[in-house]
Amino acid sequence: MSQSRKNGLTYSDAGVDIDAGNLLVEKIKPAVRSTRRPGADGEIGGFGGLFDLKAAGFTDPVLVAANDGVGTKLKIAIDANYHDTVGIDLVAMCVNDLVVQGAEPLFFLDYFATGKLDPDQGAAIVGGIAAGCRDAGCALIGGETAEMPGMYSHGDYDLAGFAVGAAERGQLLPSGDIAEGDIILGLASSGVHSNGFSLVRKIVELSGLGWDAPAPFAEGKALGEALLTPTRIYVKPLLKAIRETHALKALAHITGGGFPENIPRVLPKHLAAEIDLAAVKVPPVFSWLAKVGGVEAKEMLRTFNCGVGMIVVVAAKNVEAVKAALEAEGEAVVTLGRMVARAEGAPGTVYKGTLAL
């Protein structure tokens, strides 16, 4: 038997670098610290993150939890080698789902899995997560970094996020009093957000453009950078409007499935949302995607947000107050439609007018 066989295999020989993991933790500590808020002031590195609900000012809270990923938008970040903003998307997709239920996001945990850990790339990603947490007012209290050679090819990674929020008992949305004639407001999106990117990537392939080519729909930006515009986080403006006006009846986060899938989730079965498509201010990115991909308006509406990332339902008499509260916080608000009666078996979203693609 040959004696030249190498003994003493290490974890590093198998492709997992513990030192790189430790270096990443050190690199991200300042970013994590920047997300501290009442209720959360511990360091990362323990086995679990702690949160004190009493210190956060709640007396009789109901907890609300959400989790999500970024989807194949990550593939663009990887191919364009731009990792600073996908963490914002990760937080946005989770915390926007909390605020629609009237909950204040309190803390966040992330899961980052990759084939080979690059501490600089990891730090850029977590920097984005921390930026999203600061924007949402929630603390990043923990996370998991998994180096999995053989599971992900070199350079590839995946992200998942978990957010927990709270609302005082009896103050959750939707409220039980949505009625015919209530008004539907729409809040502008920042672009494609984090849905429909498998179709986006297919359309970019058809266009023949590289990620570093000038974006045909965004002056002065490369295509990859423009498509990586992070998902808008609506938390602080919505919480302020909820607390100031007490007039918001329902909110819906417009994610994958667009208006037809997301709005009915918050409506009683006897009501439908009548949306005037002519009122939607469609950002140029959607017009470009529709044109280059030959995508029909109906397909655009059930794949993308088409310019509206969040909808708000209010009684007609409260429209001006709610609009003013949201606009004061920097939101672009349009009146999109109203609540109408829905026959049994009819769709929960009906359209009038034409989408200006």
Side-chain angles (χ1 to χ4, degrees), residues 96-97 99-100 185-189 193 234 238 251-254 308-312 336:
N96 285 341
D97 279 356
V99 77
V100 295
L185 303 175
L187 306 187
S189 69
H193 284 186
Y234 298 98
L238 285 174
L251 297 165
H253 183 200
I254 306 303
V308 177
M310 183 70 70
I311 71 125
V312 183
L336 271 189

Side-chain angles (χ1 to χ4, degrees), residues 73 188-195 197 217 226-227 229-232 234 254 283-286 289 304-309:
K73 188 174 189 175
S189 69
S190 56
V192 188
H193 284 186
S194 299
N195 305 102
F197 270 88
F217 52 84
L227 288 171
T229 301
T231 307
R232 191 162 176 78
Y234 298 98
I254 306 303
V285 60
F286 296 110
L289 290 168
F304 300 115
N305 66 62
C306 292
V308 177

Side-chain angles (χ1 to χ4, degrees), residues 48-338:
L50 304 177
F51 193 90
D52 182 345
L53 275 167
K54 210 165 227 166
F58 287 89
T59 50
D60 186 16
V62 176
L63 293 179
V64 184
N67 72 313
D68 213 332
V70 184
T72 59
K73 188 174 189 175
L74 287 181
K75 202 71 189 131
I76 298 179
I78 292 160
D79 293 344
N81 194 26
Y82 188 77
H83 310 283
D84 301 54
T85 58
V86 286
I88 299 173
D89 289 295
L90 183 68
V91 175
M93 296 306 286
C94 296
V95 296
N96 285 341
D97 279 356
L98 295 183
V99 77
V100 295
Q101 295 175 87
E104 175 188 334
L106 301 174
F107 60 86
F108 192 86
L109 298 103
D110 69 279
Y111 173 79
F112 168 48
T114 183
K116 178 147 186 62
L117 188 59
D118 171 345
D120 289 331
Q121 183 199 61
I125 292 164
V126 176
I129 294 171
C133 285
R134 289 193 301 271
D135 196 359
C138 66
L140 179 57
I141 65 167
E144 167 69 3
T145 303
E147 192 174 25
M148 299 199 274
M151 194 81 164
Y152 294 92
S153 51
H154 189 63
D156 279 353
Y157 61 86
D158 200 6
L159 289 176
F162 309 83
V164 174
E168 291 293 358
R169 195 177 303 280
Q171 291 182 9
L172 289 168
L173 294 176
S175 63
D177 60 346
I178 303 172
E180 211 175 318
D182 282 350
I183 301 298
I184 301 163
L185 303 175
L187 306 187
S189 69
S190 56
V192 188
H193 284 186
S194 299
N195 305 102
F197 270 88
S198 295
L199 180 55
V200 170
R201 286 167 46 245
K202 196 128 192 82
I203 293 168
V204 170
E205 207 180 299
L206 282 172
S207 78
L209 295 173
W211 300 119
D212 53 358
F217 52 84
E219 211 174 318
K221 283 188 175 177
L223 180 59
E225 182 198 356
L227 288 171
L228 287 168
T229 301
T231 307
R232 191 162 176 78
I233 292 174
Y234 298 98
V235 170
K236 287 178 180 173
L238 285 174
L239 285 177
K240 203 154 190 286
I242 288 168
R243 289 163 182 170
E244 274 180 13
T245 69
H246 303 287
L248 282 70
K249 292 188 175 191
L251 297 165
H253 183 200
I254 306 303
T255 54
F259 292 153
E261 299 288 330
N262 290 293
I263 300 176
R265 290 165 72 174
V266 298
L267 301 183
K269 293 279 176 267
H270 68 285
L271 292 175
E274 182 187 76
I275 303 288
D276 177 8
L277 295 177
V280 178
K281 292 182 168 63
V282 182
V285 60
F286 296 110
S287 304
W288 182 78
L289 290 168
K291 188 173 156 215
V292 175
V295 187
E296 289 177 15
K298 196 176 172 193
E299 187 63 20
M300 291 294 292
L301 283 164
R302 53 176 297 212
T303 307
F304 300 115
N305 66 62
C306 292
V308 177
M310 183 70 70
I311 71 125
V312 183
V313 180
V314 292
K317 64 176 185 190
N318 295 321
V319 167
E320 290 315 313
V322 171
K323 239 181 175 171
L326 289 166
E327 285 169 351
E329 292 299 302
E331 293 300 327
V333 188
V334 293
T335 302
L336 271 189
R338 61 195 183 102

Side-chain angles (χ1 to χ4, degrees), residues 33-58:
R33 267 185 220 121
S34 75
T35 70
R36 285 178 171 173
R37 54 151 292 154
D41 55 10
E43 273 290 3
I44 54 164
F47 285 97
L50 304 177
F51 193 90
D52 182 345
L53 275 167
K54 210 165 227 166
F58 287 89

